[in-house]
Amino acid sequence: MRERKSTLIEITLLGLLGGLALLSLVGPQLFRDRAAPQLLSLSVLLRDTDSSGWTVARQGMEQAADEFGAELRFLTLSTYGDSDEQTELCLREIDGGARALVVVPADPSALHTALLPCKTPVVTLESDMEGADGTAAPDNILLGQQLAQALLEDWDGGTVLLLDIDPSCAGVADRIQAAQAALEEQGVPTRRASSLDWPPQERWVMAFDPLVTQQTAEQKEAGALSFALYGVGSSTTITALLERGTISALAAWNDYAAGYLAVRQAVQAVRGEGQTLSPLTFSILRGEDIYAPDNQKLLFPVTS
Amino acid sequence: MSFFRGLTAQWVERYRKMSIQMVLSLSFTAVAAVGILLMGVSLIWRFSTASQQLVAENSQRVLAQANLNLDSYLRRMMRIADTAYYRVIKNSDLAEDSLTGPLSLLYEANRDDLVSLAVFDSQGALVSAVPLSSLKPEVNLVKTDWFQAASRSMENLHFSTPHVQNIFADPDYSYRWVVSLSHHVQLTRDGVTESGVLLVDMSFSGIEQVCRDVSLANGGYLYLIDKDGELIYHPRQQLIYAGLLEENNQAAAAYRDGSHVEEFQGQSRQVTVKTVGYTGWKLVGVAPAASWPASSPQPLLFGLSLLLFAIFLMAFLNFLISARISDPIRRLEKSIKELESGQADVEIAEGGCYEIQHLSRSVRSMVSTMRHLMDDIIQQEGQKRRSELEVLQSQINPHFLYNTLDSVIWMTESGQQEEAIQMVTSLARLFRIALSRGKSVIPLCDELEHARHYMNIQQIRYKNKFSTQIQAQPGVEDLYTLKLIVQPLLENAIYHGMASAEDDGLIQVSAYRQGDDLIIDVEDNGLGMRPEVAASLLDADRPQVRTSGSGIGVRNVHQRIRLTFGTEYGLTIFSEPDEGTLVRIRLPALTREEADRRQQGEVL
C-alpha cells in the first residue's frame, strides 16, 4: 500500500515537472504569437478637397500609426464640406474593412445619424461629434473667446464681421458663437456673413477656419486692403501671412499633436483601451511672437 | 511560533511514515532542485549582467560610429567656415572686393548641407550673404545668441541649437530649421581690420540624417543634446515639441561619457553617453530595459525550460537510483514482515550493497538460530509432555492393583490356587512389560503380551463376562510400537463397553500392516456411542475426565502417538450406539533398527 502510494507520488511529481518543462517550451511560442498583432486598418476622411492643409497633422497621424500598428488611408472629398459625400465615404470605408475612422466632419450631426447603426469607432478632428470615441481639437469655445479677446485689444470702434462660411461645421460654429458672444458682451457690434462681400465694409474681420483664414488673408493682400484680420491655423502659409502682418492675430494649435492623438485614440478605441482626450492647447499669436522658441516648435514642424 | 512547531511536527510525522525510497528520492531531488535553481539563478544573473554589458558595448560602439559621422559632418562644416574665413574673408578688402561671389561659390559647392552663409560687421550690419542677400528690417542681430557667442569668444567656433532661421527676408517664406555655426572673423576694410561675425547656417536635415540612420538594437534609439541638455535631434522630436512625449535630456546632460542605468517614467533603461568633440554636444543612446536580451521572456522561458527539464531528469534519475538502492531493503523488510506474520520457510532476501547484504545475512542467521531454538523448545516441550504422559501411563491405578490383589487373596482363601497363581503371574508379567527397562518403544509382541495379561486379570475379576481375542498378522509382531498403548483402550472397552455385558461380551485386538503403517484395532461389541461423541473423545480441548479404569485415558494415548510420530498418526474411533466401538491405532511400521535409532534420539 505504502509502495503504491510512493509510486503514485513519484509519478505525480515527475508528471508535474515534465508538464512544467513542456509548458515552458510551448510558452515562448504562445508569447511569439501574441507579440505580433496585426496592423489595424484606419481611414482618415477630411472635409477638404485636398490634404495640403493637413500635411502636418498627417505626419502626426503617420507617426502614431507607426507606433501603434496601424495603416492609414487618406480620403478627401470632391466638393469642400460635402456632408453627403463624406457620409457615403465613411460607410464605404466601414464596409471595406476599416477598423476605425478618423474624420474631420463636414456635418457632425448628419454623420452621427448615418454612422449610428455601425459599431466602428470614430475619432473626430476639429469638431466634436455625438457618439464619437474622442475629438482631437482645441476647446473651440475658449478659442473663439480668446481670439475675440485678441481683437478687443486692438478694437477701436466699428462692426466686426464674423465669417461663417460653413455653418454645418460644428467646431467652427462653436468658435463663432463664442467669439460673437464675447464681443457683444463688450458692446462690440458684430455681423455674420456666410460669404465674403468683397471688399468688406467692416474694418474688423474674423475667420474661424484655416482655409477661410488663408483665403481671406490672401484676398486682403491681393486687394491691398486695410481691415484687420483675426483667424485660425498654423500652416506655413498662414504663418507667413501672420509674419507679414496680413493677419493681426492667429489662434494656432499643434496639428502634429492633433493628428497623432486622433490616430492613437482610434487605435486604442479598437483595442478597447480608449481614454478621454483632453482638448488641445492653443496659443493666440501675433506676428512678433512667431520666433519665440516655443512658437517655433508649434508652428514649424521639424521635418527633413 | 506554535504554527512552525506544528508544521515541523507534521513533517516529522510524514517523514516517519515515508518509505526509505521516498525519503531518498525526495531528498536527492530537493537537493538537486535547489542546486539547479541556484545554478540557474546564478546563470540568469550572469546572463543578465553580460547582456547588459553587451547592450552597453553595442550602444557604445554605435555611438562611437555616430560620433564619428557627426564629427566628420561638423568638421566639414567647420572646414567650410575656415574656407570662408581664410580663403575668402581674409583675402578680401571690403572696400574693394565683394565677398558675395566667393561665398556663393562656396555655398553652391555645399548647398545640400548649407542654408546660408553670411558675414556681419561688429554692429550686426550685413556685409555679405548668400543665397539670400537682405535681412528682415526688424532684425537685431546683436541680440541673437549666436552673434553674442561669437563676439564673446573670438577663438572658437560656436554651434547653436536648432532654430528656424529668421533673419533673412525670404520672398518664399520657407521656414527652415538650421543649426548656426558662428565665428568671430577679422574683416579688412581699406586696409583696416575690424571685427565681424561669420555665420554658417547648416541645414538641420544634415544632422538629422547623420543621427536618423543610427539605430540601437531592440527598440533603442539615439538623440543629440547640447551641453546644456537642449535637444538638438531626437527621433520623436516633434512629439516632444508637441508636449506629447518627454525625454530625460536634462539628466543626460549631467552624465559622463559611458553607460548608466536610470529610471525614467517608471521604466528602467540604459543610457550611454558620448560627447561629440569640440561642440560639447552629447550623443545619448537609450536602450530600454525591456529591450535587453535578459528582459525578453524568450531566453528566460528557455532557461526556465532547461532548468525544469534538468530537475525533471534529476528527479527521474533519483527515483531510479533510490529504487535500486532501497529495493533490497524493501525485500528484506518484506521477508521480515512475512516472518512476523508467522509464515514458515520464508527465504530472507539478500542483495544490494555490502551493508544490506551483511544485514540480510545477519537476519538470516538470526532467523535460523531462532528456528533451531524454537525446534529445540518444541522438541523439549514434546519430550516433556511425552514423559509426563508416559509417567501417567506407567502409573498403575491403585484401585486396579487393590482389586487385583484383593481378588488374589479371595481366590487363595477360597482355594482357587491355580487361578490365584495365574492372576499373580499375569500381574507380574504386566509389570515387567510395563517397565521394559525404561524403553518407550517395545516390540508389538510384547505390547500384545501385555494386553493379554491385562485381559487375563480383568477376565478373572469380571468372571468371564466377556471374551478376548488378540491376534496379529504374521510378521507384524516383529515390528515395534509405543508401549502401553493398547491396554488403556482395553480398559476403556471394559469399563464403557462391557459394563452391561452378560457373558456375550467380546473384545478383539487385531494388529496388521497397511503399507508403511502398523494398524492395531481394538474392537468391542459393547454399548457403543454416537459418532459425534466418539469424535469428541480425542478433542484436545475437551476437559480431562479421569476414568474409573486404570487411570490412563484414550486421549493420552492419542497425544503420545502424535507427539512421538507426528500428527498423521494416532487414534481413530468408529462407533455406533448398540453396535460397539472400534478404536484404530495407526503407527509407523518400525523395524528393530528404526526403533533403536528413535530410542537413541530420544535419549540424546
Side-chain angles (χ1 to χ4, degrees):
Chain A
M1 186 64 186
R2 185 173 297 176
E3 273 177 40
R4 191 179 296 172
K5 193 178 169 187
S6 298
T7 311
L8 204 67
I9 291 171
E10 285 175 3
I11 288 171
T12 310
L13 206 60
L14 281 175
L16 197 69
L17 285 170
L20 281 173
L22 203 66
L23 192 69
S24 60
L25 273 176
V26 178
Q29 190 59 42
L30 297 174
F31 269 95
R32 193 173 294 139
D33 290 341
R34 210 178 297 168
Q38 283 191 327
L39 283 177
L40 293 176
S41 174
L42 304 184
S43 295
V44 182
L45 295 105
L46 308 178
R47 64 182 172 92
D48 300 274
T49 52
D50 67 77
S51 61
S52 59
W54 295 91
T55 310
V56 177
R58 182 169 177 164
Q59 288 168 354
M61 290 181 188
E62 282 168 349
Q63 173 78 31
D66 186 47
E67 287 180 15
F68 295 101
E71 55 181 359
L72 304 175
R73 262 168 61 80
F74 286 89
L75 299 162
T76 55
L77 306 179
S78 57
T79 308
Y80 175 80
D82 187 342
S83 171
D84 294 337
E85 187 188 358
Q86 191 177 52
T87 304
E88 191 184 328
L89 273 176
C90 285
L91 294 172
R92 199 180 72 191
E93 286 304 301
I94 291 169
D95 287 343
R99 302 288 302 279
L101 301 177
V102 176
V103 189
V104 185
D107 183 349
S109 59
L111 189 64
H112 165 63
T113 310
L115 296 181
L116 207 54
C118 309
K119 299 289 181 194
T120 309
V122 178
V123 176
T124 60
L125 280 160
E126 193 179 74
S127 301
D128 194 6
M129 187 184 85
E130 192 185 345
D133 291 86
T135 302
D139 183 337
N140 288 315
I141 293 171
L142 189 64
L143 188 148
Q145 289 170 345
Q146 294 211 359
L147 195 60
Q149 193 60 43
L151 185 143
L152 284 170
E153 287 170 8
D154 304 335
W155 188 73
D156 56 3
T159 304
V160 178
L161 177 66
L162 305 172
L163 295 174
D164 188 7
I165 306 298
D166 189 2
S168 61
C169 185
V172 176
D174 285 346
R175 293 170 198 167
I176 296 170
Q177 188 71 34
Q180 188 173 19
L183 290 171
E184 288 176 351
E185 193 180 308
Q186 297 298 319
V188 177
T190 60
R191 183 175 73 84
R192 282 202 195 199
S194 59
S195 63
L196 190 62
D197 301 325
W198 205 254
Q201 300 301 309
E202 288 82 3
R203 287 173 50 225
W204 311 95
V205 178
M206 291 187 84
F208 298 92
D209 171 70
L211 188 61
V212 175
T213 303
Q214 186 180 329
Q215 285 174 351
T216 307
E218 284 169 349
Q219 283 177 337
K220 180 190 167 187
E221 268 192 349
L225 299 173
S226 60
F227 64 83
L229 176 63
Y230 298 83
V232 299
S234 57
S235 68
T236 307
T237 310
I238 291 175
T239 307
L241 288 163
L242 178 69
E243 191 179 5
R244 290 202 290 273
T246 310
I247 298 172
S248 301
L250 190 70
W253 60 89
N254 195 316
D255 270 344
Y256 188 91
Y260 180 88
L261 289 172
V263 169
R264 189 181 76 180
Q265 183 72 3
V267 171
Q268 288 178 340
V270 171
R271 292 180 182 154
E273 306 163 351
Q275 298 168 357
T276 308
L277 272 181
S278 302
L280 294 173
T281 55
F282 65 90
S283 300
I284 303 295
L285 303 175
R286 293 188 182 268
E288 62 271 22
D289 303 327
I290 293 174
Y291 294 104
D294 286 344
N295 293 337
Q296 284 187 31
K297 292 170 185 174
L298 171 69
L299 295 169
F300 311 111
V302 182
T303 53
S304 49
Chain B
M1 196 65 182
S2 60
F3 170 76
F4 287 111
R5 226 175 267 159
L7 201 67
T8 310
Q10 201 177 349
W11 274 105
V12 168
E13 189 60 27
R14 277 188 188 173
Y15 171 76
R16 280 180 183 165
K17 286 180 180 173
M18 274 184 190
S19 66
I20 189 167
Q21 187 200 344
M22 184 53 71
V23 171
L24 281 175
S25 57
L26 285 184
S27 309
F28 287 171
T29 304
V31 170
V34 168
I36 289 169
L37 279 174
L38 281 177
M39 204 169 65
V41 169
S42 163
L43 281 175
I44 286 171
W45 181 74
R46 289 287 299 272
F47 173 65
S48 172
T49 311
S51 71
Q52 209 171 324
Q53 280 175 348
L54 202 68
V55 170
E57 283 170 12
N58 178 56
S59 298
Q60 284 167 4
R61 200 164 40 247
V62 171
L63 255 64
Q65 185 59 48
N67 181 44
L68 205 65
N69 296 342
L70 189 61
D71 194 53
S72 167
Y73 176 79
L74 293 174
R75 284 188 184 284
R76 194 145 54 86
M77 295 301 110
M78 287 159 70
R79 274 200 301 277
I80 292 170
D82 287 346
T83 305
Y85 183 33
Y86 295 109
R87 298 272 176 86
V88 179
I89 298 169
K90 280 249 177 191
N91 295 334
S92 303
D93 188 326
L94 296 179
E96 299 166 1
D97 307 317
S98 168
L99 299 178
T100 308
L103 287 179
S104 293
L105 285 174
L106 194 60
Y107 171 77
E108 288 301 327
N110 299 282
R111 65 179 303 154
D112 290 344
D113 298 320
L114 296 179
V115 171
S116 60
L117 280 170
V119 180
F120 305 93
D121 66 16
S122 58
Q123 303 305 311
L126 180 65
V127 174
S128 181
V130 289
L132 300 171
S133 55
S134 59
L135 295 178
K136 287 179 179 174
E138 70 278 10
V139 166
N140 183 0
L141 294 182
V142 180
K143 289 184 178 176
T144 58
D145 292 341
W146 57 265
F147 193 93
Q148 288 181 350
S151 303
R152 229 181 5 253
S153 178
M154 297 177 179
E155 298 301 319
N156 297 330
L157 291 165
H158 304 279
F159 292 87
S160 74
T161 51
H163 62 102
V164 175
Q165 189 50 282
N166 61 340
I167 60 171
F168 297 105
D170 183 355
D172 298 332
Y173 285 89
S174 54
Y175 301 99
R176 300 182 66 180
W177 284 87
V178 297
V179 172
S180 295
L181 185 161
S182 58
H183 184 29
H184 176 267
V185 292
Q186 293 286 337
L187 301 172
T188 307
R189 197 186 300 269
D190 268 341
V192 180
T193 57
E194 60 179 66
S195 291
V197 172
L198 169 67
L199 173 70
V200 178
D201 279 335
M202 302 182 290
S203 172
F204 176 69
S205 60
I207 291 172
E208 190 185 29
Q209 277 173 11
V210 169
C211 299
R212 188 181 57 197
D213 296 336
V214 180
S215 60
L216 302 178
N218 301 318
Y221 61 90
L222 173 146
Y223 66 92
L224 184 64
I225 54 174
D226 71 1
K227 61 180 182 298
D228 297 323
E230 281 297 313
L231 270 186
I232 296 172
Y233 166 81
H234 194 284
R236 300 167 83 190
Q237 196 155 351
Q238 195 56 38
L239 285 176
I240 295 170
Y241 283 174
L244 299 176
L245 190 72
E246 287 181 18
E247 184 54 84
N248 203 20
N249 46 321
Q250 293 299 332
Y255 292 151
R256 290 184 176 182
D257 282 12
S259 292
H260 311 267
V261 174
E262 67 173 21
E263 287 286 328
F264 181 60
Q265 294 182 331
Q267 287 190 328
S268 179
R269 56 191 207 165
Q270 191 186 67
V271 175
T272 306
V273 177
K274 176 82 180 168
T275 304
V276 181
Y278 193 81
T279 58
W281 292 354
K282 286 185 173 178
L283 278 166
V284 184
V286 178
S291 71
W292 302 348
S295 303
S296 168
Q298 306 289 336
L300 280 177
L301 280 172
F302 183 69
L304 182 69
S305 173
L306 280 181
L307 281 181
L308 286 169
F309 185 71
I311 293 172
F312 168 75
L313 205 64
M314 286 304 298
F316 182 69
L317 286 174
N318 285 338
F319 291 152
L320 283 183
I321 292 167
S322 60
R324 189 152 182 82
I325 292 171
S326 63
D327 191 51
I329 299 172
R330 217 171 48 235
R331 278 190 279 133
L332 181 61
E333 188 214 6
K334 193 179 168 188
S335 306
I336 291 171
K337 272 186 179 173
E338 285 172 358
L339 273 175
E340 283 173 353
S341 69
Q343 282 187 39
D345 301 328
V346 174
E347 182 64 30
I348 301 296
E350 190 179 331
C353 52
Y354 166 75
E355 289 87 350
I356 301 167
Q357 284 182 36
H358 184 249
L359 187 64
S360 302
R361 279 196 293 270
S362 300
V363 171
R364 182 180 282 181
S365 166
M366 191 176 72
V367 168
S368 173
T369 307
M370 196 171 69
R371 277 183 187 150
H372 280 114
L373 285 171
M374 282 173 68
D375 288 347
D376 287 351
I377 290 167
I378 289 167
Q379 200 176 358
Q380 283 171 8
E381 282 297 316
Q383 189 72 33
K384 188 180 166 190
R385 178 71 182 144
R386 206 164 55 242
S387 299
E388 284 172 3
L389 291 172
E390 281 173 1
V391 167
L392 273 174
Q393 196 170 24
S394 59
Q395 287 173 357
I396 296 298
N397 190 330
H399 287 286
F400 169 74
L401 189 58
Y402 168 76
N403 289 334
T404 305
L405 291 176
D406 193 47
S407 297
V408 170
I409 293 167
W410 176 76
M411 281 189 283
T412 306
E413 284 176 352
S414 62
Q416 295 175 333
Q417 298 294 329
E418 286 297 321
E419 285 84 350
I421 290 166
Q422 189 184 352
M423 189 172 248
V424 171
T425 305
S426 288
L427 187 62
R429 187 69 182 159
L430 196 73
F431 280 127
R432 192 183 66 80
I433 294 171
L435 290 173
S436 294
R437 290 181 292 179
K439 289 180 181 177
S440 61
V441 181
I442 58 172
L444 178 64
C445 55
D446 287 350
E447 179 64 14
L448 294 180
E449 182 69 13
H450 180 267
R452 278 190 199 97
H453 288 297
Y454 176 75
M455 289 308 290
N456 283 341
I457 294 167
Q458 292 293 36
Q459 273 180 316
I460 293 167
R461 278 192 59 214
Y462 282 89
K463 304 183 183 341
N464 293 321
K465 281 172 74 176
F466 52 88
S467 56
T468 303
Q469 291 180 2
I470 296 173
Q471 55 190 7
Q473 199 178 37
V476 168
E477 287 191 332
D478 295 335
L479 294 175
Y480 278 70
T481 178
L482 274 181
K483 72 176 180 184
L484 306 183
I485 59 173
V486 177
Q487 179 264 329
L489 305 184
L490 292 173
E491 184 182 42
N492 218 43
I494 292 165
Y495 285 108
H496 297 290
M498 298 296 120
S500 57
E502 293 177 1
D503 298 338
D504 57 347
L506 176 62
I507 296 173
Q508 290 179 302
V509 177
S510 50
Y512 55 93
R513 184 167 182 152
Q514 195 175 67
D516 290 334
D517 293 343
L518 169 65
I519 306 294
I520 303 169
D521 288 345
V522 179
E523 189 177 6
D524 66 69
N525 58 353
L527 293 173
M529 64 193 106
R530 294 195 306 277
E532 58 270 23
V533 176
S536 69
L537 287 177
L538 301 177
D539 190 354
D541 298 329
R542 189 168 172 264
Q544 197 88 326
V545 178
R546 200 163 181 87
T547 66
S548 55
S550 65
I552 300 166
V554 174
R555 198 153 17 124
N556 284 3
V557 174
H558 180 62
Q559 286 175 355
R560 277 180 61 213
I561 295 168
R562 285 167 72 99
L563 280 169
T564 308
F565 300 116
T567 52
E568 65 267 35
Y569 300 103
L571 303 186
T572 314
I573 301 173
F574 308 95
S575 183
E576 283 294 330
D578 300 327
E579 288 188 8
T581 301
L582 167 64
V583 180
R584 177 164 293 161
I585 302 169
R586 182 177 293 274
L587 299 165
L590 295 176
T591 58
R592 182 187 175 86
E593 292 77 23
E594 288 167 339
D596 285 346
R597 270 203 304 276
R598 184 169 286 273
Q599 199 74 44
Q600 278 179 340
E602 281 179 13
V603 172
L604 287 172

